[in-house]
Amino acid sequence: MDRIKRRDRKIYGEIQKFFRDELEKKADLGIALHGELEGWRRAHICDDRYRVIWRDLPEIEDYTGASGDKVVPVQVARVGPKTPAGGGTIYEQPIP
């Protein structure tokens, strides 16, 4: 994300908006991945030029929200262009 922020503030803002406005409010967002990325999901953003790859973690009690609210944290594996400068696709890069 830091690299994207340095290169293109507009794209960085759109990615942040995706996290805040889309991912936070829709539990079934994205497309499930298969094979080595089983359990992860993806979404196309920024006019289909960028990809976000994430997975849901176990839900936790929302101690800052209303009584009974739950929070589903996510682990973001990759955010970047569909085809990085190094070649291949974002899906072929290792998950940290």
Side-chain angles (χ1 to χ4, degrees):
M1 288 294 293
D2 289 339
R3 189 174 338 131
I4 293 170
K5 186 177 181 179
R6 282 192 308 270
R7 287 184 161 175
D8 193 329
R9 290 258 185 195
K10 182 180 178 191
I11 294 293
Y12 178 78
E14 288 186 41
I15 293 168
Q16 292 296 334
K17 183 178 177 186
F18 168 78
F19 286 131
R20 184 181 58 248
D21 295 343
E22 300 291 326
L23 190 56
E24 183 177 302
K25 296 177 182 164
K26 297 178 184 173
D28 60 346
L29 185 66
I31 298 168
L33 296 172
H34 304 285
E36 290 182 26
L37 297 175
E38 187 75 35
W40 295 83
R41 302 181 71 74
R42 70 175 163 92
H44 299 193
I45 59 173
C46 303
D47 295 326
D48 200 35
R49 296 182 314 168
Y50 281 75
R51 303 293 187 261
V52 176
I53 300 173
W54 77 93
R55 69 177 171 180
D56 294 336
L57 298 175
E59 68 181 31
I60 58 175
E61 294 291 328
D62 182 9
Y63 53 87
T64 60
S67 178
D69 282 353
K70 301 282 186 188
V71 172
V72 179
V74 297
Q75 177 185 7
V76 177
R78 294 269 180 252
V79 177
K82 176 183 176 182
T83 52
T89 69
I90 195 167
Y91 307 109
E92 295 167 344
Q93 295 178 352
I95 299 294

